[in-house]
Amino acid sequence: MRPLPTPHALRQLLAAAGLSGPAAEPRRIDEGGEHASWWVGEDHVLRLARDRAGAARQRRESALRDLLRARLSVALPASVGRGEWAPGLTFTLDTRLPGTSAEARPLSRAGEADLAALLAGLRAVDPADAAALGLPYQPPRPLAQPWRAAVAVAERLLDDGEFTPDQYAALVTEAAPATPAARPSVPRHSAPPTSADRDERTPDVADSTTAPEPVACLCHLDIKGEHLLVSDDGRVTGVLDWTDAAIGDPAEDIAGLAIAVGAPTAARAAERAGHGPAVRRRGLLLARYDTLVRLADRLYGDDDSPLPLLRAQRDRAWRATP
């Protein structure tokens, strides 16, 4: 991974994009991953791709945001500058959207409607349009895989007071969830076949041996509290970081919402967006399983994520739904 530019080089990069002076002094944002980010003044964010794979995702993200801006009712960052900060490594200088992370501010009912509109808007995008931008197809995860991983750590979490007896009983007594039916291979730059009128009314995933394959659609695939901006009155003012977006399983975005804002809110937003009961249930189960595994990775493994955050995500994902 290429070393990050010096402060002087950053200032030169910003000056070339039309920002200079004390008000444009970059301030590093403490986050890791595939890009490095800086606040620039009060109104902009500078993001640098750290490697060529990250640069490819950033290019796709820029094109996708341009495609979605007129199709979604929630705001997306707009780039006022973009290019390469080193050979093959891209940057974007984006407008900073108003609002505070959903980790720090609750949603109102109107904000819940904003999330429903987000899911509905993504569902309405023709996958062929997304595939034309180079977005990949991501096949659905076999639900049995995260379930088994959660079961493997559940007893230790229970013993350590990180999981309630009722939750443990509900998890371990559930039959191994069904695995989606196999899908034919999809050409790299073509969208998978979809059916808008496919009947999603299916038996409980834990009670069938083979579950129907989720209907693929455009998905954000990295929904979490820090990527949802919320206003003082609880409305969603922006959705950030589209670098992982792909054509895939909409249950993954429902799972992300369950972890970010709670399972009941995620379920209601998904229903309002038109997702059927099987997809909604699959998303809630993925959220439950994933939060247990991530918490165990932090407690017993090498993960260094903040424990209060992981516990809050577990609690939100395990909230009872009607």
Side-chain angles (χ1 to χ4, degrees), residues 4-62:
L4 291 174
T6 64
H8 176 69
L10 282 176
R11 294 186 194 100
Q12 288 184 314
L13 187 66
L14 291 169
L19 296 179
S20 60
E25 187 68 17
R27 308 184 308 280
R28 182 72 188 271
I29 301 173
D30 185 18
E31 64 176 60
E34 66 194 18
H35 54 251
S37 303
W38 289 260
W39 300 123
V40 182
E42 297 299 321
D43 300 321
H44 298 91
V45 180
L46 176 67
R47 300 162 67 233
L48 307 185
R50 302 296 304 275
D51 55 32
R52 290 181 181 272
R57 286 190 290 272
Q58 193 174 64
R59 290 189 185 97
R60 289 199 301 264
E61 177 192 42
S62 294

Side-chain angles (χ1 to χ4, degrees), residues 74-181:
V74 296
L76 308 181
S79 293
V80 296
R82 63 181 71 165
E84 292 190 350
W85 65 274
L89 301 181
T90 57
F91 78 90
T92 61
L93 181 62
D94 296 338
T95 54
R96 183 176 178 180
L97 298 176
T100 298
S101 165
E103 289 292 340
R105 183 174 287 167
L107 285 175
S108 64
R109 283 290 181 162
E112 185 177 302
D114 294 332
L115 294 180
L118 169 66
L119 295 180
L122 293 176
R123 191 167 182 250
V125 173
D126 187 340
D129 291 342
L133 301 179
L135 268 70
Y137 167 65
Q138 180 169 303
R141 287 188 285 167
L143 196 56
Q145 190 173 48
W147 176 78
R148 293 191 181 103
V151 168
V153 300
E155 185 171 358
R156 190 171 183 184
L157 291 172
L158 177 66
D159 290 342
D160 290 343
E162 298 286 351
F163 200 38
T164 71
D166 287 346
Q167 291 169 337
Y168 177 80
L171 175 70
V172 300
T173 58
E174 184 178 53
T179 300

